[in-house]
Amino acid sequence: MDVIVGGGIVGLSIAWRLARSGRPVTVVDPAPASGASHAAAGMLAPVSEVTYTETPLLRLGMASLRRWPSFAAELAEDAGWADRAAASDGATPVADAGGRGARAGASGGPGAGPPSGGPGVGPFGGLEIGEGPRRGLDLRADGTLDVAFGADDLAALDELAAYMDKLGLPVERLTGRECRRLEPMLAPSVRGGLLAPEDAWVDPRRVTAALLVALDRLQVPLVRARAAGLLRDADGKVVGVRLEPSREPSEIRAERVVLAAGAWSAELADVPVRPIKGQIMRLRSPQPLLSRCVRGTVHGSYVYLVPRGDGELVVGATQEELGFDTRVTAGGLYELLRDARELVPGVSELEVADVVAGLRPGTPDNLPIIGPSGTPGLTLATGHYRGGVLLAPLTAALVLADSGGSGGSGDSGDVGGLGDSGSSRRSGGSGDVGGLGGLGGLGGEEGELAALCSPGRFREIS
Amino acid sequence: MDVIVGGGIVGLSIAWRLARSGRPVTVVDPAPASGASHAAAGMLAPVSEVTYTETPLLRLGMASLRRWPSFAAELAEDAGWADRAAASDGATPVADAGGRGARAGASGGPGAGPPSGGPGVGPFGGLEIGEGPRRGLDLRADGTLDVAFGADDLAALDELAAYMDKLGLPVERLTGRECRRLEPMLAPSVRGGLLAPEDAWVDPRRVTAALLVALDRLQVPLVRARAAGLLRDADGKVVGVRLEPSREPSEIRAERVVLAAGAWSAELADVPVRPIKGQIMRLRSPQPLLSRCVRGTVHGSYVYLVPRGDGELVVGATQEELGFDTRVTAGGLYELLRDARELVPGVSELEVADVVAGLRPGTPDNLPIIGPSGTPGLTLATGHYRGGVLLAPLTAALVLADSGGSGGSGDSGDVGGLGDSGSSRRSGGSGDVGGLGGLGGLGGEEGELAALCSPGRFREIS
């Protein structure tokens, strides 16, 4: 049996994919789905988040983004949410055939047009999202608009556009007027923008809720306790976890422990992971103010706005190195409000629904740490920093591949399909088998991706 | 029997004083202590809140402020909180003799020095607060400091100081340096201030909680239902209230209905009361940042900071005319944070504990409406606008006096004692009998105060 330590989006995704493949698995977490995954905005935006030094992260992000539609479709199906109406968009319910398209291999319902060019498909052959994941998980692929106010910002945007172009990334440089045509609520002071039309986003709270339902349906035990340490045998091999004192049972034996404890991972193993605090706010709007993600740099600090289907607008996020501090502070809230108002003045009228702080698991090189550690019996799946939601499908696939199993097309379906915008990208599951590349092993592109996040790159991990 | 419609600080105070005097009374409220009283900061600051046109309000405020110490001491005693340790100041518990001083007539415990000049007594002969109300209700009389940033603000402060001087109010004009000597956390940009050393404050949430306990101990029925209308007999006399449909019982008969429904009062009677929204924030601090209330005008909007004994810092409040809207908005929160940071930059580091919006019951002349209406059987106690907490003791005393009863010294003890800083001002109750003026009627100063808030001044009230 595998024990997954950590019930955030990464740990739950791994548990779900393993359980789905037939492996016995147990999840240990004192409060599942309440940490960084609960705070996260859910941007799936490898393109607009690209920075000059982080092309490995871009590569991981692109590979995981491609997995999101089928991952989400299968999850919505497994959770029984494929037909679930969206919380608020008030649309008529989708037809059954469409809503259940994910697993049944049907066409994906309304909006599922031809492979490229139909509704929901971006000009660069972006993701196509089925009705199930869109309604159930609020998964959308309507792009990110990065805006600039001053001359310096504009110059930086031009440089970034040139760099992205060189990388072959799909972006469009827009004037201020073009930005406001796309997003009429933008501030009049916006002077230009960069559109990443294929960037996507999802509601991480819905995803973890769906994962918990799916795990429950698969009868995966969820032990609500804190893992206080690893059990080792005489040879040093990890053979399970010890639970915090006073718990019954006080330990769980396992063939493999998968450490997915996010910012808390360093408490259990020698991994270079530290907490990076983020404060984030949710506003409630009668109707959506924006139709895509909007981000920008205001007063030197970076802010983004993520619109949910139900009108909620997520405003994030601070970046603070303060240890295990999850207080929502006056200063953090002030910055979020100031910068959000600068981007979209109309947010002033919106109701404040929720403010939370989460701890991102940061690493020295901002890349996650995924794969077998130097210690037999211990696999790592941590250090996802700002990318836990984006990278969850890829992480689960890498851990599953390392287990020698495959739970379905979502695990590796698109691995060989870089740049392929054909039917394997559709919301259906069973139609994806054409792209199987490194199944059951770590060859091909999957092997390259695994190498990028290998624990072996850090000397202290043994 | 009297039915009190409204379980905010005003309605509960009336019910408590009536019940204490031996009158049968019932309170009707769907959610007691959850409205404006829950939102209020609890400033008891008639001096620093004075404006040029509102001397009647000043007079009411001063009269009610003088009642607060004995009102609070008796309440703490009735609720069994006289010995209660403060939530957080960590001090050793007070001696029993001191803590119970209120009703027993003892000296008021530690800090209760001679009538004037001792600890807790301001230079102008301010209020002396016993240990019971200080610890139990966080009642403090350490003054308000009104600060100014620019030259215009300073000029306005000088004018206000001159006006207050003319009224004989105790204020001191301070330089910026003197302000920072009193409150070291003030912004360096503060250029001057006006200290009202006798202004006080209390924690309204603790007051309503104590009132609910005291009423429970007096076995006063609390009907958790909405009053949907007034019952009238054939002559038009009010004879009770009708409860919202589907409630059992569906009506309550009463000799007198006291309407204390705050912003909702106009739903039941023809009173010129409208809701004025206020958003307010509570910050949490390991130790208090301020030792007195601080207020100021920032960017043209008025902000105040009220420190609680447990380190909480209340930041208030917006003033918005939006009808029955109690949403906490991004814009409201932004203004509070911006202005609080301007006054005391250190608030940035504090945790945001709570943000709420309440509805103040506004009237055309900003004065409350207290006393018998033109309709037999209906007494009004509403329209307290920003002064519900300050004016609760006076309001209860006026309604009780109109009932021909007196429940103890707190009801009228200081009515005749304007300017008297002698022993009748002490935290004890039984020692206050020297000041009884208009007991059982509405003569003397009490009659004059009652005239100021008489419903008769509005034509529409019949």
Side-chain angles (χ1 to χ4, degrees):
Chain A
M1 184 188 69
D2 289 335
V3 165
I4 316 297
V5 177
I9 196 166
V10 170
L12 295 176
S13 293
I14 292 168
W16 172 57
R17 299 312 286 188
L18 289 177
R20 215 170 187 268
S21 80
R23 282 186 77 92
V25 59
T26 292
V27 177
V28 176
D29 194 307
S34 67
S37 308
H38 183 73
M43 285 179 81
L44 310 175
V47 172
S48 73
E49 299 263 330
V50 78
T51 60
Y52 295 105
T53 56
E54 293 181 349
T55 45
L57 188 57
L58 169 68
R59 196 162 171 216
L60 293 172
M62 295 292 278
S64 201
L65 176 59
R66 279 192 301 275
R67 288 161 191 272
W68 255 105
S70 57
F71 181 90
E74 289 177 15
L75 177 57
E77 186 69 28
D78 274 19
W81 288 9
D83 296 329
R84 181 177 155 155
S88 66
D89 65 2
T92 49
V94 291
D96 270 4
R100 292 196 186 124
R103 184 167 272 176
S107 77
S116 61
V121 179
F124 296 89
L127 299 172
E128 187 174 334
I129 312 291
E131 283 293 308
R134 192 180 69 73
R135 294 181 160 254
L137 307 176
D138 209 6
L139 176 62
R140 294 166 63 188
D142 300 329
T144 300
L145 179 60
D146 194 352
V147 300
F149 292 88
D152 290 355
D153 292 347
L154 280 172
L157 219 56
D158 281 329
E159 273 181 48
L160 190 60
Y163 178 66
M164 287 175 167
D165 217 46
K166 206 175 103 191
L167 293 177
L169 296 175
V171 289
E172 279 178 69
R173 184 68 175 77
L174 305 179
T175 65
R177 183 173 300 199
E178 287 167 334
C179 289
R180 276 184 294 279
R181 199 174 301 140
L182 286 180
E183 296 293 347
M185 298 302 285
L186 276 178
S189 47
V190 164
R191 289 179 55 190
L194 200 58
L195 178 68
E198 294 187 21
D199 274 356
W201 65 97
V202 72
D203 185 343
R205 294 181 181 181
R206 293 206 201 183
V207 175
T208 52
L211 284 165
L212 287 170
V213 171
L215 287 171
D216 189 55
R217 287 177 154 205
L218 289 164
Q219 298 181 303
V220 170
L222 179 60
V223 179
R224 291 178 186 265
R226 198 176 72 84
L230 301 175
L231 297 175
R232 292 168 194 264
D233 68 9
D235 300 327
K237 180 181 186 299
V238 169
V239 293
V241 294
R242 192 162 38 78
L243 301 183
E244 60 181 347
S246 88
R247 285 293 304 189
E248 287 294 342
S250 61
E251 59 179 54
I252 304 176
R253 297 261 155 189
E255 290 164 48
R256 180 172 66 161
V257 171
V258 179
L259 182 57
W264 291 266
S265 298
E267 289 178 359
L268 291 171
D270 238 353
V271 289
V273 171
R274 69 188 194 284
I276 301 173
K277 178 179 172 180
Q279 301 188 48
I280 194 164
M281 183 170 52
R282 282 164 170 79
L283 304 176
R284 197 174 289 138
S285 177
Q287 58 259 354
L289 280 191
L290 301 172
S291 53
R292 57 183 58 69
C293 289
V294 169
R295 36 171 287 168
T297 302
V298 184
H299 301 293
S301 69
Y302 156 65
V303 65
Y304 54 80
L305 305 175
V306 179
R308 301 259 177 259
D310 60 3
E312 190 180 75
L313 188 69
V314 185
V315 181
T318 65
Q319 298 240 34
E320 303 163 79
E321 303 247 8
L322 293 169
F324 289 91
D325 171 2
T326 54
R327 299 176 311 135
V328 171
T329 62
L333 205 48
Y334 170 75
E335 280 174 35
L336 292 176
L337 288 163
R338 178 196 61 192
D339 299 347
R341 280 165 44 103
E342 195 100 5
L343 277 183
V344 178
V347 299
S348 290
E349 306 306 319
L350 302 190
E351 182 175 5
V352 178
D354 184 30
V355 190
V356 294
L359 298 172
R360 310 176 187 91
T363 63
D365 58 5
N366 293 347
L367 288 171
I369 302 169
I370 305 169
S373 71
T375 305
L378 177 63
T379 286
L380 304 175
T382 183
H384 289 75
Y385 186 33
R386 302 180 57 230
V389 179
L390 171 60
L391 300 176
L394 176 66
T395 304
L398 292 176
V399 172
L400 179 60
D402 183 53
S403 322
S406 169
S409 61
D411 301 316
S412 53
D414 284 340
V415 161
L418 254 177
D420 167 16
S421 64
S423 60
S424 68
R425 211 60 78 60
R426 302 285 292 283
S427 66
S430 53
D432 281 356
V433 288
L436 299 183
L439 228 195
L442 291 170
E445 202 214 0
E446 200 164 64
E448 290 172 31
L449 296 171
L452 290 176
C453 32
S454 163
R457 72 187 191 276
F458 294 111
R459 202 173 303 166
E460 59 264 60
I461 301 179
S462 58
Chain B
M1 184 187 72
D2 289 336
V3 165
I4 316 297
V5 177
I9 196 166
V10 170
L12 295 176
S13 293
I14 293 169
W16 173 55
R17 300 312 286 188
L18 290 177
R20 214 171 188 267
S21 80
R23 281 186 77 93
V25 59
T26 292
V27 177
V28 176
D29 194 308
S34 68
S37 309
H38 184 71
M43 284 179 83
L44 310 175
V47 172
S48 74
E49 298 265 329
V50 77
T51 59
Y52 296 105
T53 56
E54 293 181 350
T55 45
L57 188 57
L58 170 67
R59 196 162 170 215
L60 292 172
M62 294 292 278
S64 201
L65 176 58
R66 278 193 300 275
R67 288 161 191 273
W68 255 105
S70 56
F71 181 90
E74 289 178 14
L75 177 57
E77 185 68 29
D78 274 19
W81 288 8
D83 297 329
R84 181 177 154 155
S88 66
D89 65 3
T92 49
V94 291
D96 271 3
R100 291 196 185 125
R103 184 169 270 177
S107 75
S116 61
V121 179
F124 296 89
L127 299 172
E128 187 174 332
I129 312 291
E131 282 294 307
R134 192 180 70 74
R135 293 180 161 255
L137 307 176
D138 210 5
L139 175 62
R140 293 166 64 189
D142 300 329
T144 300
L145 179 60
D146 194 353
V147 301
F149 292 87
D152 290 353
D153 293 347
L154 280 173
L157 220 55
D158 281 330
E159 272 182 49
L160 190 60
Y163 177 66
M164 286 175 166
D165 217 46
K166 207 175 104 192
L167 293 176
L169 296 174
V171 290
E172 279 179 69
R173 185 68 175 75
L174 304 179
T175 64
R177 182 173 300 198
E178 287 167 335
C179 289
R180 277 184 293 280
R181 200 174 299 140
L182 286 180
E183 296 293 347
M185 299 302 285
L186 276 178
S189 47
V190 164
R191 289 178 56 190
L194 200 58
L195 178 68
E198 295 187 19
D199 274 356
W201 65 97
V202 72
D203 185 343
R205 294 181 180 180
R206 291 206 201 183
V207 175
T208 51
L211 285 165
L212 287 170
V213 171
L215 288 171
D216 189 56
R217 287 177 154 205
L218 289 165
Q219 298 181 303
V220 170
L222 180 59
V223 179
R224 289 178 187 266
R226 197 176 72 84
L230 301 175
L231 297 175
R232 293 169 194 263
D233 68 9
D235 300 327
K237 181 180 186 297
V238 170
V239 294
V241 293
R242 194 163 36 79
L243 302 183
E244 61 182 347
S246 87
R247 286 293 304 191
E248 288 295 343
S250 62
E251 59 179 52
I252 304 176
R253 296 261 156 189
E255 290 163 47
R256 181 171 66 162
V257 171
V258 179
L259 182 58
W264 290 266
S265 298
E267 289 178 359
L268 290 171
D270 237 354
V271 288
V273 171
R274 70 190 195 282
I276 300 172
K277 178 179 173 181
Q279 301 188 48
I280 193 163
M281 182 170 53
R282 282 165 171 78
L283 304 177
R284 197 175 289 139
S285 177
Q287 57 259 354
L289 280 192
L290 300 174
S291 54
R292 57 182 59 69
C293 288
V294 169
R295 35 172 287 169
T297 303
V298 184
H299 301 294
S301 69
Y302 155 65
V303 64
Y304 54 79
L305 306 174
V306 179
R308 300 258 178 258
D310 60 2
E312 190 180 75
L313 188 69
V314 185
V315 181
T318 65
Q319 299 239 34
E320 303 163 80
E321 303 247 7
L322 293 168
F324 289 91
D325 170 1
T326 54
R327 299 175 311 134
V328 171
T329 63
L333 205 48
Y334 171 73
E335 281 175 35
L336 293 177
L337 290 163
R338 178 195 61 189
D339 299 347
R341 280 165 45 101
E342 196 99 5
L343 278 183
V344 178
V347 300
S348 290
E349 306 306 318
L350 302 191
E351 182 174 7
V352 178
D354 183 31
V355 191
V356 294
L359 298 173
R360 310 175 187 92
T363 62
D365 58 7
N366 292 347
L367 287 171
I369 302 170
I370 305 168
S373 72
T375 305
L378 178 63
T379 286
L380 304 175
T382 183
H384 289 75
Y385 186 35
R386 302 180 57 230
V389 179
L390 171 60
L391 299 176
L394 177 66
T395 304
L398 292 176
V399 172
L400 179 60
D402 183 51
S403 321
S406 167
S409 61
D411 301 316
S412 52
D414 283 341
V415 161
L418 254 177
D420 167 16
S421 64
S423 61
S424 68
R425 213 58 79 59
R426 302 286 293 284
S427 65
S430 54
D432 280 356
V433 287
L436 299 184
L439 229 195
L442 290 171
E445 202 214 0
E446 200 164 63
E448 289 172 32
L449 296 171
L452 290 175
C453 31
S454 163
R457 71 187 193 277
F458 294 110
R459 203 174 302 166
E460 60 264 60
I461 300 180
S462 58

